[in-house]
Each structure stands twice: as C-alpha cells, then as structure tokens.
Amino acid sequence: MAMGSREKGHTVLEVGSDGVAIITLINPPVNSLSFDVFRSLKESFDQAIEREDVKAIVITGAKGKFSGGFDISAFGLIQEGLDLSDPGLISVELTTDTLEAARKPSVAAIDGLALGGGLEIAMACTARISTPVAQLGLPELQLGVIPGGGGTQRLPRLVGLTKALEMMLTSKPVKGEEAYSLGLVDAVVSPDKLLNTARQWALDILDRRRPWVTSLYRTDKIESLGEAREILEFARTQARKRAPNLKHPLVCIDVIEEGIVSGPRAGLWKEVEAFKELAVSDTCKSLINIFFALRGTSKVPGVTDRGLVPRPVKKVAVLGGGLMGSGIATALILSNYPVILKEVNEKFLDAGVNRVKANLQSRVRKGKMTQEKFEKTISLLEGTLDYESFKDVDMVIEAVIENVSLKQQIFADLEKYCHPHCILASNTSTIDLNLIGERTKCQDRIVGAHFFSPAHVMPLLEIVRTKHTSSQIIVDLLDIGRKIKKTPVVVGNCTGFAVNRMFFPYTQAAILLVEHGADVYQIDKAMTKFGMPMGPFRLVDLVGFGVGVATAMQFIENFPERTYKSMLVPLMQEDERAGETTRKGFYLYDDKRKASPDPELKNYIEKARSISGVSVDPKLVKLAEKDIIEMILFPVVNEACRVLDEGIAVKAADLDVSAVMGMGFPPYRGGIMFWADSLGSKYVYSRLGEWSKLYGEFFKPCAYLAARAAKGIPLSTSVEQVKSRL
C-alpha cells in the first residue's frame, strides 16, 4: 500500500518492433495503484490485446519501481461510502478476467518494489522477472485489511501455504533472490537487463518455449486437504496468541481456506466480500490514522515549510556511556555515523564501550548481524576522556546523570570546544532545557533529543525545542532522526515533554484506584487485555522505583493540583523493594524475571491507605474491565488535551504517534486522541466530571476538553479547523 501523488496516476503503452507491448505504471513516488491507475491499466491492456501488431505484453513500473501497492488515500473514499457497486472490479474483472485470462501472454518486470496490489498484478501475469534486491510482499494486514486483488488465492499457489501464510500474517516482504528460490518469480536479472529479458520471456511463452501457466489454477505447491487444514489451524492458533484483539488475521486465514476447499474462484469472491467489510472497520480506520500520522510528524508549520535544507552531519559525539548514552551511540553507529563517546574516567569509558559492544553482539547472536558487519560497525566508535577531538563534530548529544549544575558546566565547555555551527543536544527527560543552556551564548543551537530506553531499540525520538532553538537545528535533527530509523516528533519544552507528561497519570490513576479498593493485578490484566504492552504496576517494576519516584516528584512539583500523592511506593522502598532489579516490587520475580503476584502487597496498600486517609469504595472493588481502562486512560487523554492546548505538541496526530511509539499504546486503536474521539469528547468529559466529584481534582477535566465537549467537537480537530467550523 502506498500514497499517491497530486497528479493523476496513469499507464503508458509502447509497442516495440519485436511485437511486445510495454505497459508502464506511472504514479510517483512509488507508482501506487489509485482507481485512475487501475482504469488506465485496463484500457492499455485491452488495447494491447486488440492490436494486431502486439504478440505479447510486459508490465513494468516507471523509475525503477514496479508498484508500492493500492493507494492508501483511496481508503478514505471507500470509508466515506464510495459506491463499490461492482466489488469484484479489481480482483475479478481486472486481474483475473482481463490480465490472467488474456489470449496473449504477459510478463511482469519487477524492480524496486512490488508490494500489495503491485505484487497481486504481477502474480496475475503469466511470468515474473525480478531484480535481486526488489522487495516483494503483501503487507495489507498492517493496515487492518487483507490482500484484496487476489493475493490470498495466488500467493499460496506460487509459494506454498506455509510461506504464503507467513508473508501475509507478518507483512514481511522477501527480496528478489529469495522470491526466485520460493517460486514467486521465474528469473532474477540485473536492472539493466530486466526489460529485454522480460520481452524475450514473453515471446518464448508465446512460442511455447517456456510454460504458459495461470497462477490461479496451479496446484503443485498446495498440500493435500487434510494437511492444508492442519497448517491453517496452526496459523489460527498463532494469530490468536499474537493478537487476541484482532479479527482480520483470522479473516485472512478463512479466505485462504475457502480457496483451497471450494476452489480459487470461490476464494476470490470471499476475498472481495471480506476486503469490503474490513476496509470500513474500526481497526482499519485506526491503523490508517497511524499510517498517515507517522508520515506527518516531520511536517512542522513555521519550521519545515521555509525551504531549509538539512546540513550534513558527518560525526557525532555522545557524552556519557551509561544505559542511555551507550544506547544512543549504538543507534548512531548502526546507521554508519562515526561516534566519539566521552566519559570522565577509564573505568566508566570501558564500561560504556562494552555496553555498545554487548548491544551489537546480541544482534549477532540473533542472526541480525554478521561478525564482519559487527567489526565494521564497532570500528566507527572511538572513546575519549577529554574535549580535544570535539573540534570537528557536527552534533553532540549529552546523556549524563540528571544534575543541573553538571549539565550547565558541560554546555559551557561544549560552546568553547565545538565549532560554532555544531548542534548541541541533551537527552534530559526531567531538566528544563532553558536552565541547561543558561550559561551559554548559543541558546539557538540547544535542543532536546529525548530517546526512550533502550535507545537503540525504541522507535521514538522527541525533538524538544525551546523558545530560542533555531528552525535550522530542528530540520537537521528531523533528518538525523529519520536516518537512524527513529520516528521523530517535535515538541515544546515543559516538564515531561509530550510522552512522559501525557502518561504520568497512567500509574497515578492506577495507584489512586488501588488505594480506593481496586486490585493491582486486575488493573494490570485489564490494561494488557486492552492492548498495552504491560499494565501500570508491571511498568513501575520494570522502570524501577527510584526512577518512578524521581519522575513523580517532578510532576508533583509542577502540577500540584492534579497529582495524586500516595505513600505506597515509598513505603515499599523502605523495605528494600525497588522493582524488578531487587526481585520484589508489585510482583515477585524469579531467576528468569518471570513475575508472580505477591500476597504481602496488601499490607503496604493498607498502610498507604491509612496515611492518605481514604476508605475503600465498594464500587471500585468490583470494577468492570471497561471502567478500569477508562479510569486509567481518560486522565491520560485529559493531560494530552493540555499538551495540545499549550502548544507543546504541534497536532493531535503527533500525540497519537507518541503514544504508540513511546508507550506501546495499541496501534490498532489509532493512538490516544483518535481512540478518545472514537468514544466522543462528551463521553470522556462526563466520565471525568463524575469521578472528579467522587475522587478529587486528579480527574478534573481541563478547559480544552470541556470546550470541545460542550460543542461536541472531536478532540483532535485543530484550533483552525474549530474556528472554521464555528
């Protein structure tokens, strides 16, 4: 699936002297298949069949890309109720009855990528020729739908059931070389020979020098019925385990099964029906929201629309080799940036370098990296104890302990030792950036680069701008963020920035509920069932009580009126409990870090409850799952509204991305704001209002939320949109 461009997509037909018609798909940047492209393809193909000077046909894509698949912007049309009165238009009429059933052979010449609908068109051709590195796959499940152009029927017939299921259910593409060994393509050639080879194949098929077979009716790769059913059943069990909240993977398996049991034509029609239904499902709408939101994070009004070009960054320095510093250094060298890692003494420096090595070695162990690549990557890292080698670095990322005067000293030193255009970034998560740069003259170059732990794994990067940070620095950092495979989101400067600030009520709400009588383990269970990677208590154990309390203090200090103050964690700390590291937190942990409930926990809860002076509320003892989820996540939504209202986030979609990438909010629910809007601003407001009467200011809805609810306007509508609607 791909995004189309503003220009209308189309195809071009050219006939060579050898009698081969070349049809080229054109819709930059990845030749996505809009309805215009499909229409034009059918016209070109029909024309090639009618023309007497055409013996055979080759389909290819412009500018070295076959096709990135169905144009995702067209989903909006389907969801808005575009009349698909002819639902089998693409998969039956075009791919099956026009392309595949044609009386002249066709060959797909694949370079770059053939994904989704692109691969489906290629599979309907008589043969497929690919370049070695072209990517072929059916990633539709990532968007909450199934392949809708015959992919569920043809892929199993070309590569066998097991591999087809794996490719569809994991959305992972294969490269040309592997596609050839699987039988998905018939030959692999270099890009410069691609078209000529495809022409020759088309003529060879016509002259019966090569086999003329239709993919849809091949049976040589399909197992016997009994064996096929076992494979499908196993896939169902796996899918239920991997994603208990998702329906569409199971629908995909059912559609594949229909084709095997009742024949491919019946399978095609079942695929058409299922696709139509899934395209308007909440899951599909949510995943498409995230798809576009991810691509929108690098658009920042007033910054990225000024024609500024990112400057080249050839070398980066990282200060501090602890958990964060070493993770950041790992992320950088993995993307070929030479890195200088600075520490205060030999012992710390060795430890830092060894952490980076360990990060890379774990990739080697998992087979994600060769030993040779390991040696090459680690050679990009250089350790140092002073600033001498800083004169030619283009960016510095400071990741030392959270201590104001230490950071102020570091930034004053950096100003002396680095060249005057060097980007000066801090990975702080709790200290005000204005404070950090107070002793420098170069506040326009100071920016926050807030990574999430472990930094070489977690995909989000918060780029924090102060009132002084220049637009050029932001543009530079957005570029670096993308190059090191992170999703960069630009946010304003405040306590906790966007992610940590938005989610501080997550654990606070949970503790409030527990003090009022709810069960710790029921809460965690409800949240994981909803789709969070872990519940609030398991999360506090993982992060560690020390970090948890330090962070909570920040919020108590800055937002005293809406923090819930509890002694629960400090009481547990007094007994040497600190979470997973001490094997005792809200859970008990064994040697393998497996968590189990702790019967002693209730003593701490009772003690904390008496200090807070709250009594058990029988309503909260027997809370339904839906209520647990809402009482824990609506305060998060409320805080997200404040973050938007204060201009800390540029747009609601950025908060959706931040919640998914930074906190593991389930993408199939569309992100925090999208999810809240699916329930309605009025509903969120009235629930929070009720609870604030019963349990205090912590739940009090903010002004932004109240104003939206009063007018029934979605929370994610921008202020400009609201003004125009009023």
Side-chain angles (χ1 to χ4, degrees):
M1 305 235 167
M3 288 163 68
S5 64
R6 293 266 164 263
E7 293 288 306
K8 253 187 166 185
H10 59 283
T11 62
V12 171
L13 171 72
E14 293 165 279
V15 182
S17 55
D18 56 359
V20 177
I22 305 264
I23 298 174
T24 307
L25 305 167
I26 304 174
N27 192 11
V30 293
N31 304 322
S32 61
L33 304 167
S34 59
F35 288 118
D36 291 327
V37 174
F38 280 123
R39 258 180 235 115
S40 175
L41 174 61
K42 187 164 181 354
E43 280 162 25
S44 294
F45 203 87
D46 286 340
Q47 205 185 331
I49 297 299
E50 293 308 309
R51 279 176 64 163
E52 286 180 6
D53 58 339
V54 173
K55 299 180 189 169
I57 298 158
V58 167
I59 300 181
T60 190
K63 300 204 170 146
K65 294 183 177 76
F66 188 76
S67 169
F70 187 64
D71 177 6
I72 295 180
S73 342
F75 265 105
L77 301 172
I78 298 173
Q79 285 159 359
E80 283 156 23
L82 170 80
D83 180 26
L84 287 178
S85 50
D86 187 358
L89 188 69
I90 291 166
S91 79
V92 182
E93 274 181 49
L94 176 67
T95 41
T96 308
D97 296 347
T98 304
L99 293 182
E100 197 170 42
R103 60 174 195 270
K104 295 176 184 176
S106 60
V107 175
I110 301 166
D111 195 5
L113 72 185
L115 300 174
L119 181 59
E120 289 176 308
I121 285 175
M123 291 193 291
C125 293
T126 325
R128 285 149 296 288
I129 315 287
S130 161
T131 56
V133 293
Q135 303 239 11
L136 298 88
L138 294 178
E140 284 86 346
L141 270 79
Q142 280 179 333
L143 290 177
V145 288
I146 61 171
T152 59
Q153 305 307 306
R154 288 188 183 85
L155 190 61
R157 287 173 167 76
L158 289 172
V159 303
L161 200 46
T162 308
K163 187 66 190 178
L165 280 162
E166 181 203 317
M167 282 175 71
M168 285 186 254
L169 294 174
T170 63
S171 292
K172 282 207 180 91
V174 293
K175 286 210 173 118
E177 289 287 2
E178 190 188 345
Y180 174 63
S181 65
L182 290 168
L184 180 55
V185 300
D186 303 285
V188 171
V189 296
S190 62
D192 54 332
K193 300 203 179 84
L194 182 62
L195 271 183
N196 284 339
T197 310
R199 298 179 101 113
Q200 194 49 57
W201 268 71
L203 294 169
D204 286 349
I205 293 169
L206 181 73
D207 297 339
R208 308 287 167 163
R209 284 195 294 273
R210 291 193 187 276
W212 188 329
V213 271
T214 45
S215 308
L216 197 60
Y217 293 100
R218 280 184 54 175
T219 52
D220 53 308
K221 293 272 181 89
I222 299 283
E223 291 76 2
S224 68
L225 195 56
E227 205 180 327
R229 283 204 153 132
E230 269 174 42
I231 294 170
L232 291 158
E233 209 32 65
F234 178 69
R236 275 191 191 98
T237 313
Q238 293 297 95
R240 281 193 197 102
K241 228 190 257 158
R242 201 183 297 127
N245 292 338
L246 297 181
K247 187 184 94 173
H248 67 284
L250 299 169
V251 173
C252 186
I253 297 168
D254 291 345
V255 170
I256 295 170
E257 181 160 44
E258 177 74 10
I260 287 168
V261 176
S262 313
R265 196 90 187 172
L268 281 179
W269 282 110
K270 189 174 173 106
E271 179 191 87
V272 167
E273 285 309 308
F275 181 85
K276 209 168 78 175
E277 216 170 282
L278 290 169
V280 294
S281 67
D282 288 344
T283 300
C284 177
K285 289 175 183 166
S286 298
L287 289 166
I288 283 177
N289 177 64
I290 286 294
F291 176 88
F292 283 115
L294 278 168
R295 278 148 188 78
T297 64
S298 47
K299 292 185 179 74
V300 184
V303 175
T304 55
D305 47 14
R306 292 172 45 190
L308 293 167
V309 179
R311 297 172 299 179
V313 168
K314 296 192 179 72
K315 195 175 190 183
V316 183
V318 176
L319 267 71
L323 197 62
M324 284 312 291
S326 59
I328 294 167
T330 308
L332 287 159
I333 59 174
L334 278 170
S335 294
N336 291 319
Y337 281 101
V339 172
I340 294 172
L341 184 67
K342 180 185 178 302
E343 259 298 359
V344 288
N345 60 41
E346 284 291 351
K347 188 180 147 207
F348 283 176
L349 184 60
D350 287 345
V353 171
N354 286 332
R355 280 190 192 99
V356 177
K357 280 186 179 158
N359 290 340
L360 297 178
Q361 267 149 357
S362 96
R363 291 175 82 90
V364 176
R365 272 200 308 280
K366 289 176 186 153
K368 286 183 184 167
M369 184 182 241
T370 60
Q371 189 58 36
E372 185 190 6
K373 181 87 176 109
F374 167 83
E375 306 292 349
K376 211 168 156 185
T377 307
I378 200 70
S379 72
L380 291 167
L381 183 73
E382 180 193 328
T384 183
L385 298 175
D386 55 49
Y387 288 111
E388 280 313 303
S389 50
F390 276 49
K391 51 185 177 297
D392 63 341
V393 302
D394 302 304
M395 169 161 145
V396 181
I397 303 174
E398 167 275 309
V400 304
I401 53 170
E402 298 283 70
N403 172 316
V404 178
S405 53
L406 172 67
K407 289 188 194 250
Q408 286 179 332
Q409 184 54 54
I410 285 173
F411 276 80
D413 289 342
L414 289 172
E415 192 176 27
K416 282 205 288 274
Y417 290 99
C418 300
H419 67 72
H421 302 294
C422 180
I423 302 163
L424 305 178
S426 171
N427 177 56
T428 181
S429 52
T430 56
I431 298 172
D432 186 340
L433 287 165
N434 288 319
L435 209 54
I436 288 176
E438 213 174 47
R439 298 188 197 164
T440 68
K441 293 184 192 66
C442 60
Q443 300 193 5
D444 58 330
R445 290 192 280 137
I446 293 180
V447 65
H450 183 226
F451 290 80
F452 291 75
S453 185
H456 57 296
V457 179
M458 292 295 278
L460 190 69
L461 168 64
E462 282 184 312
I463 298 174
V464 189
R465 53 174 170 176
T466 68
K467 291 190 290 291
H468 311 290
T469 312
S470 80
S471 295
Q472 181 63 56
I473 297 280
I474 304 288
V475 169
D476 295 342
L477 218 50
L478 279 165
D479 183 55
I480 293 161
R482 293 245 177 259
K483 284 183 176 149
I484 59 172
K485 301 179 179 61
K486 301 291 175 208
T487 299
V489 176
V490 176
V491 295
N493 183 27
C494 69
T495 304
F497 312 132
V499 176
N500 288 340
R501 175 168 164 192
M502 197 166 47
F503 273 88
F504 89 85
Y506 186 63
T507 30
Q508 291 217 326
I511 289 173
L512 181 148
L513 289 181
V514 165
E515 284 200 359
H516 286 81
D519 177 72
V520 164
Y521 306 113
Q522 285 310 108
I523 289 175
D524 273 6
K525 205 164 137 198
M527 295 319 295
T528 46
K529 211 167 150 189
F530 172 79
M532 294 297 290
M534 52 183 71
F537 296 106
R538 182 68 189 78
L539 182 67
V540 175
D541 276 1
L542 178 73
V543 172
F545 288 6
V547 175
V549 169
T551 313
M553 292 312 287
Q554 289 285 324
F555 293 108
I556 289 170
E557 207 174 298
N558 289 284
F559 313 124
E561 75 297 341
R562 59 175 186 275
T563 37
Y564 183 73
K565 299 160 196 65
S566 162
M567 285 303 289
L568 182 54
V569 175
L571 285 169
M572 291 163 77
Q573 275 180 307
E574 281 172 20
D575 276 357
E576 307 291 309
R577 286 177 182 247
E580 207 179 290
T581 46
T582 56
R583 294 202 185 172
K584 267 185 182 181
F586 286 97
Y587 292 81
L588 299 173
Y589 296 88
D590 64 13
D591 297 351
K592 295 202 174 93
R593 293 191 163 189
K594 197 171 165 331
S596 53
D598 181 2
E600 282 177 28
L601 188 62
K602 57 180 187 301
N603 307 335
Y604 296 103
I605 294 169
E606 278 162 20
K607 208 166 169 185
R609 190 179 287 142
S610 66
I611 297 173
S612 296
V614 296
S615 49
V616 169
D617 178 342
K619 276 208 295 290
L620 297 191
V621 178
K622 290 198 179 67
L623 257 191
E625 249 171 35
K626 171 180 170 294
D627 295 323
I628 293 177
I629 291 161
E630 291 178 359
M631 288 186 91
I632 284 179
L633 288 177
F634 284 3
V636 174
V637 172
N638 199 21
E639 199 58 42
C641 286
R642 289 191 178 94
V643 168
L644 257 186
D645 196 25
E646 293 168 23
I648 297 298
V650 178
K651 51 192 177 294
D654 286 355
L655 294 179
D656 285 340
V657 169
S658 301
V660 169
M661 296 282 174
M663 283 301 296
F665 189 86
Y668 54 83
R669 298 193 189 278
I672 190 76
M673 300 302 272
F674 187 90
W675 172 72
D677 276 336
S678 73
L679 301 169
S681 52
K682 280 185 169 163
Y683 178 70
V684 177
Y685 174 75
S686 70
R687 294 286 281 176
L688 284 166
E690 264 166 61
W691 302 326
S692 69
K693 285 191 196 92
L694 293 168
Y695 311 109
E697 291 280 286
F698 173 77
F699 287 110
K700 189 181 169 187
C702 68
Y704 179 99
L705 180 53
R708 297 292 163 115
K711 300 193 178 84
I713 299 172
L715 300 173
S716 50
T717 316
S718 73
V719 179
E720 292 77 40
Q721 287 168 306
V722 170
K723 281 182 186 145
S724 66
R725 287 177 70 158
L726 302 180

